[in-house]
Amino acid sequence: MKNSQLYKGSLNTIIMKLLEEQGRMYGYEITQKVKEITKGELNITEGALYPALHKLEADGLLDVEVEKVDNRLRKYYKLTEKGTTENVNRLAELEEFIKNIQTIVNPKLSY
Amino acid sequence: MKNSQLYKGSLNTIIMKLLEEQGRMYGYEITQKVKEITKGELNITEGALYPALHKLEADGLLDVEVEKVDNRLRKYYKLTEKGTTENVNRLAELEEFIKNIQTIVNPKLSY
DNA sequence: TGTTATGCATAAGAAAATTATGTATATATT
DNA sequence: AATATATACATAATTTTCTTATGCATAACA
């Protein structure tokens, strides 16, 4: 993956946004979804994803349900109530951040 | 500063873009310019800025000229030829990154 | 039967910030 | 005159958040 350091810090917001949209998802599903949406340009590594999911869960923002499908384990995550609230804030912050960056690197597009 | 972790990785690109625009700038001037452009929302810390400038210089992307103004030191930085080329690439990557993030968190705006 | 896909996890290391601190001069305030 | 704020640089310790590498296990495909 190129420009990987750029998305530092935005992974948590991406995860939460997808969970808000999809209701619930398991880890591997999240990586595939992001790959699909970005046409292969953004690939979330497992070493980044799983620790992030665990931290969000530990922080009370996600709930987890373990299921066995085709004899393979899946851990389905969904937003808690706290997570839903927090998601709104983080999305707002991300939008604000993007707006600021745009103002700097592409003044023409900012109005 | 809020959402500080979001701009991890984009600092170098911000610096180079401003230098491209302004011709040459010194460190403190960069922090003030960013604060001004983003209406105080993005504050570059000195602990992030100066090491970043030193690294860009070490990588041959920036040239430095030391001047004394009002008995105070200023280090003016400008893009080298290599830096100018690299700036184009990094800006393109940043735009691409922003587009990808937008596609994920705000599908309505992506087309 | 070996490779690819699915599905989880963690440890070691690197990158890039924050926070705290230090030095020094100039200007504004009280 | 004394003090605080602004200007201007710098670095060390720590933290956060990734990458890379590795490990385990099952299913599907060639």
Side-chain angles (χ1 to χ4, degrees), chain B residues 37-50:
Chain B
I37 294 178
T38 64
K39 291 163 188 165
E41 286 186 42
L42 218 61
N43 286 283
I44 296 180
T45 60
E46 295 166 299
L49 177 69
Y50 291 114

Side-chain angles (χ1 to χ4, degrees), chain A residues 15-111:
Chain A
I15 292 172
M16 295 174 75
K17 170 63 185 178
L18 288 178
L19 290 179
E20 178 217 290
E21 247 178 45
Q22 307 287 319
R24 65 171 208 166
M25 299 180 85
Y26 56 100
Y28 186 75
E29 189 184 9
I30 292 175
T31 66
Q32 299 308 302
K33 186 74 180 174
V34 168
K35 199 185 287 183
E36 178 205 322
I37 294 177
T38 64
K39 292 166 186 162
E41 286 186 41
L42 218 60
N43 287 283
I44 297 180
T45 60
E46 295 166 299
L49 177 69
Y50 292 114
L53 286 171
H54 300 160
K55 182 157 196 316
L56 288 169
E57 191 198 347
D59 290 345
L61 302 175
L62 301 187
D63 268 344
V64 66
E65 285 166 16
V66 180
E67 281 182 33
K68 208 158 195 175
V69 179
D70 290 333
N71 207 33
R72 269 199 239 90
L73 206 69
R74 283 186 187 171
K75 290 195 168 181
Y76 280 96
Y77 290 91
K78 64 163 189 274
L79 291 174
T80 60
E81 204 172 319
K82 185 180 170 190
T84 304
T85 305
E86 184 62 19
N87 180 46
V88 176
N89 298 330
R90 297 205 188 184
L91 282 176
E93 281 177 16
L94 183 55
E95 297 283 356
E96 213 178 309
F97 165 72
I98 290 174
K99 207 184 291 181
N100 282 328
I101 292 286
Q102 287 282 20
T103 312
I104 297 169
V105 300
N106 207 341
K108 288 169 286 183
L109 292 182
S110 314
Y111 41 93

Side-chain angles (χ1 to χ4, degrees), chain B residues 26 28 46 50 54 72-75:
Chain B
Y26 56 99
Y28 186 76
E46 295 166 299
Y50 291 114
H54 299 160
R72 268 200 240 90
L73 206 70
R74 284 185 187 173
K75 290 196 168 181

Side-chain angles (χ1 to χ4, degrees), chain B residues 1-56:
Chain B
M1 174 171 39
K2 307 165 295 182
N3 35 326
S4 50
Q5 86 276 22
L6 285 174
Y7 91 124
K8 283 196 184 220
S10 54
L11 177 58
N12 286 332
T13 309
I14 290 173
I15 292 172
M16 293 173 76
K17 169 64 184 176
L18 288 178
L19 290 179
E20 177 216 292
E21 248 177 45
Q22 308 286 320
R24 65 172 210 165
M25 299 180 84
Y26 56 99
Y28 186 76
E29 189 183 8
I30 293 174
T31 67
Q32 299 308 301
K33 187 72 180 175
V34 168
K35 198 185 287 181
E36 178 205 321
I37 294 178
T38 64
K39 291 163 188 165
E41 286 186 42
L42 218 61
N43 286 283
I44 296 180
T45 60
E46 295 166 299
L49 177 69
Y50 291 114
L53 286 172
H54 299 160
K55 183 157 195 316
L56 287 170

